[in-house]
Amino acid sequence: MTVTDEPVAIDDEVLRRLPKVELHCHLEGSIRAATLVELAATHGIPLPTTDHDALYRYPDLAGFLVVYETACSALRTAADFARVTYEALEDAVLSSNVRYREMFFNPTLHPGTPYPVMLEGILDGIRAAERDHGITTRLIPSIYRQDPVASALELVATVAEHRDDHVVGIGMDGDELADPPERFVAVYRAAAAIGLHRSAHVAHDGPASMIETCLDDLGCERVDHGYHVVDDPSLVSRLRDAGTTFLCATPTPPLCGWSDVFDESPVRRMIEAGLRVTLNSDDPPMLHTDLGTEFVKVCNGWRLTPERTKQLVTDAIDAAWCDPTERAALARSITPELDRMLGLSPG
Ligand code: ADE
Ligand code: ZN
């Protein structure tokens, strides 16, 4: 049973405090508005406004990406990267009790900063957050799909040259309707050849067929978003049987083609169809949310049972790209807490 007839099954605060694993979150979409205003002033980057409330408002996805790219350009030094990484991880722990997180970052959107410099800063932030808040983090450099294929290939070569155990995979974000995934087949092949895991943002706005491209041609192991799967019942059956993991996020930049009535979210239909869905915050301050809030909205808004709520977390543990020993340790530490907090008997 996925949903219950009980009016509200689980206390909001319990949902916020549940230990969580988050697999889809953008570093540059996680910059506190106040921090972005400060960094932009330091580096002389003009912002459309310095008003913290107005900065993260957009008319549409294109408007969102303009602000996102501006936020990227305000990160210059290793210290900048360390600061925003630490703050993003601290926010995830304090708001939502995230224990393990995989974060995308867009190396090609920081042209003045060499990859090793940004990586050094991000790793400093990760270590400090692990020391102070106990959170474990892995990184996914993301191809910006508006980039030329040649620069995406160069990105994979750079990742290979500066290999670090924290960097576990490759992703792809940006405006998918403008640049469909098949352009990047050679880049994904190169990423596979150096042992990186692979995923891509697809079928958020584009057609369900993009999911097949992502899995069958790019060789992705997980699907980021993938909401238009609901338009294709045979693909739903195929991916339910295959146990494909979807990294979903209910907050979206406005006007991206979906109803803004929460109950009509495709994520609800995906859960009800039995797909393997995980919840994620994507760009938390930029989209005015955090993972705890997403759990409250989804689990109580759609009246998920405690068992289905637990599965949102355990499916994320199973799909994490850390090594198997670490994944097993994560499961051992989190599962008993989930059982206790959700009133479930172990097992
Ligand atoms: N990059 C960062 N956040 C994104 C989003 N919500 N959609 C597309 N690309 C992104
Ligand atoms: Zn995303």
Side-chain angles (χ1 to χ4, degrees):
M1 186 175 63
T2 296
V3 296
T4 159
D5 291 331
E6 298 300 318
V8 171
I10 307 167
D11 183 75
D12 285 3
E13 206 42 40
V14 169
L15 290 169
R16 287 184 198 283
R17 300 312 317 154
L18 281 184
K20 300 180 186 71
V21 163
E22 179 166 44
L23 305 179
H24 182 133
C25 173
H26 299 262
L27 173 65
E28 298 94 330
S30 303
I31 307 173
R32 296 174 187 164
T35 300
L36 177 53
V37 169
E38 255 184 60
L39 292 176
T42 303
H43 297 303
I45 311 286
L47 294 176
T49 172
T50 53
D51 179 309
H52 295 175
D53 292 330
L55 185 58
Y56 287 158
R57 306 234 169 260
Y58 341 87
D60 51 24
L61 177 66
F64 168 88
L65 291 172
V66 168
V67 179
Y68 183 79
E69 288 177 25
T70 305
C72 288
S73 70
L75 300 183
R76 295 284 166 95
T77 66
D80 297 340
F81 281 92
R83 175 180 176 182
V84 299
T85 303
Y86 182 86
E87 290 181 355
L89 294 171
E90 178 173 74
D91 291 347
V93 173
L94 298 183
S95 70
S96 312
N97 198 12
V98 177
R99 300 284 176 82
Y100 171 96
R101 193 187 228 190
E102 291 176 12
M103 281 208 292
F104 296 110
F105 67 114
N106 284 96
T108 63
L109 295 182
H110 309 281
T113 311
Y115 179 83
V117 172
M118 67 184 87
L119 184 61
E120 177 203 327
I122 294 170
L123 293 177
D124 280 351
I126 286 175
R127 289 190 198 100
E130 180 146 25
R131 180 196 64 215
D132 294 351
H133 297 294
I135 182 170
T136 303
T137 306
R138 293 289 179 272
L139 294 169
I140 307 174
S142 189
I143 297 161
Y144 201 59
R145 64 204 323 148
Q146 272 67 64
D147 285 345
V149 170
S151 81
L153 279 169
E154 201 179 307
L155 169 61
V156 173
T158 304
V159 171
E161 192 186 337
H162 301 279
R163 209 58 209 268
D164 183 279
D165 287 347
H166 290 84
V167 176
V168 290
I170 200 92
M172 176 159 62
D173 65 324
D175 182 350
E176 64 182 63
L177 286 178
D179 288 286
E182 52 271 21
R183 284 180 67 215
F184 294 94
V185 168
V187 184
Y188 275 75
R189 265 195 209 126
I194 59 164
L196 291 175
H197 291 288
R198 285 141 288 144
S199 75
H201 289 50
V202 283
H204 180 297
D205 311 292
S209 59
M210 276 189 180
I211 299 172
E212 291 170 290
T213 307
C214 162
L215 295 170
D216 301 338
D217 301 334
L218 301 187
C220 289
E221 304 147 74
R222 309 191 301 214
V223 177
D224 291 299
H225 302 298
Y227 307 139
H228 278 282
V229 70
V230 298
D231 302 337
D232 183 342
S234 68
L235 190 58
V236 169
S237 309
R238 172 190 155 190
L239 300 186
R240 183 178 43 224
D241 293 349
T244 303
T245 305
F246 289 80
L247 278 48
C248 296
T250 69
T252 49
L255 301 181
C256 60
W258 292 104
S259 161
D260 53 12
V261 176
F262 187 64
D263 280 356
E264 292 169 7
S265 164
V267 179
R268 180 179 191 168
R269 290 165 60 193
M270 291 166 74
I271 291 173
E272 288 176 354
L275 290 169
R276 196 177 285 263
V277 163
T278 67
L279 294 187
N280 300 277
S281 60
D282 211 355
D283 304 281
M286 285 191 77
L287 298 174
H288 310 278
T289 194
D290 57 58
L291 191 54
T293 301
E294 294 308 305
F295 268 72
V296 172
K297 280 162 54 189
V298 166
C299 300
N300 276 344
W302 300 338
R303 292 196 276 170
L304 265 53
T305 59
E307 289 81 359
R308 188 67 186 83
T309 299
K310 173 183 172 182
Q311 196 194 331
L312 291 172
V313 181
T314 54
D315 281 346
I317 296 173
D318 291 345
W321 285 344
C322 50
D323 70 50
T325 316
E326 195 172 1
R327 193 179 310 112
L330 204 54
R332 270 198 309 278
S333 81
I334 287 183
T335 313
E337 277 187 71
L338 293 174
D339 287 334
R340 182 177 53 73
M341 294 175 77
L342 292 168
L344 297 167
S345 45

